[in-house]
């Protein structure tokens, strides 16, 4: 899990599906300043950012890798536009899993004196899951804010 930056131009995008809040791309192909290309596959992108991911868009692209997916969380385009977006759906889901699992375990212990295995496993796994998703989001926010002085090279 982590964040990275690509400076370059979008050559092509393959949109898999667009939902209300986020878009999923099969791949995004970047042309780097040295002429090489980099492909970022299977990406989840918040729609505010996805609107800037068009072929020909030049600038700085902010990438992230989470537990089970990756994506683009920000763009600073050569035309001066800046956009940031990072979904918290997985963070909220992990909190929901924790609450439901905790209640299931508590009621089972009170009712039958034993905790169900699946609910106990989900209870234990939901805490590190939340922390990892939150850490990735915080890294992404800090990365984008720390790079606020970036201006694309003239050209």
């Amino acid at each position: 899990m982590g964040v990275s930056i690509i400076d370059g131009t979008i050559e092509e995008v393959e949109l898999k599906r667009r939902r209300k809040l986020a878009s999923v791309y099969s791949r995004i192909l970047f042309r780097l300043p040295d002429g090489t290309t980099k492909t970022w596959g299977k990406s989840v992108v918040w729609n505010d950012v996805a609107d800037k991911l068009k072929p020909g868009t030049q600038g700085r692209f902010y990438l992230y890798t989470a537990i089970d997916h990756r994506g683009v969380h920000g763009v600073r385009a050569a035309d001066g536009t800046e956009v940031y977006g990072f979904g918290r759906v997985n963070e909220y889901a992990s909190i929901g899993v924790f609450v439901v699992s905790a209640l299931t375990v508590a009621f089972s212990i009170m009712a039958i004196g034993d905790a169900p295995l699946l609910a106990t496993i989900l209870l234990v796994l939901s805490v590190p899951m939340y922390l990892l998703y939150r850490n990735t989001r915080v890294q992404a926010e800090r990365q984008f804010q720390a790079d606020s002085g970036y201006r694309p090279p003239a050209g």
Side-chain angles (χ1 to χ4, degrees):
M1 278 73 49
V3 295
S4 60
I5 293 175
I6 290 181
D7 288 319
T9 305
I10 295 180
E11 288 285 307
E12 64 182 74
V13 294
E14 288 181 21
L15 180 63
K16 187 172 182 178
R17 67 180 166 269
R18 184 173 175 104
R19 299 285 190 230
K20 183 179 177 182
L21 298 175
S23 296
V24 178
Y25 290 87
S26 299
R27 72 185 190 108
I28 304 169
L29 179 66
F30 297 95
R31 169 97 32 214
L32 305 179
D34 64 4
T36 61
T37 60
K38 178 168 178 81
T39 302
W40 197 246
K42 297 181 182 175
S43 302
V44 177
V45 182
W46 215 241
N47 282 337
D48 294 344
V49 177
D51 293 340
K52 292 300 292 181
L53 299 181
K54 309 268 187 248
T57 302
Q58 182 179 5
R60 180 166 278 184
F61 303 91
Y62 301 84
L63 313 174
Y64 71 90
T65 302
I67 299 170
D68 59 346
H69 66 282
R70 58 184 173 169
V72 180
H73 67 84
V75 175
R76 284 202 166 90
D79 65 8
T81 59
E82 298 180 357
V83 64
Y84 172 84
F86 194 101
R88 298 182 74 171
V89 174
N90 291 331
E91 281 182 71
Y92 296 143
S94 60
I95 292 170
V97 168
F98 177 83
V99 170
V100 170
S101 298
L103 290 173
T104 302
V105 168
F107 287 135
S108 292
I109 290 173
M110 288 187 316
I112 61 173
D114 197 12
L117 183 61
L118 180 59
T120 304
I121 290 170
L122 291 174
L123 179 66
V124 170
L125 292 179
S126 64
V127 174
M129 185 173 84
Y130 169 77
L131 294 173
L132 289 170
Y133 280 125
R134 182 183 179 283
N135 184 47
T136 302
R137 180 184 52 83
V138 168
Q139 284 179 13
E141 288 173 355
R142 286 181 182 158
Q143 177 196 43
F144 194 77
Q145 290 171 357
D147 200 36
S148 64
Y150 169 79
R151 297 295 170 255

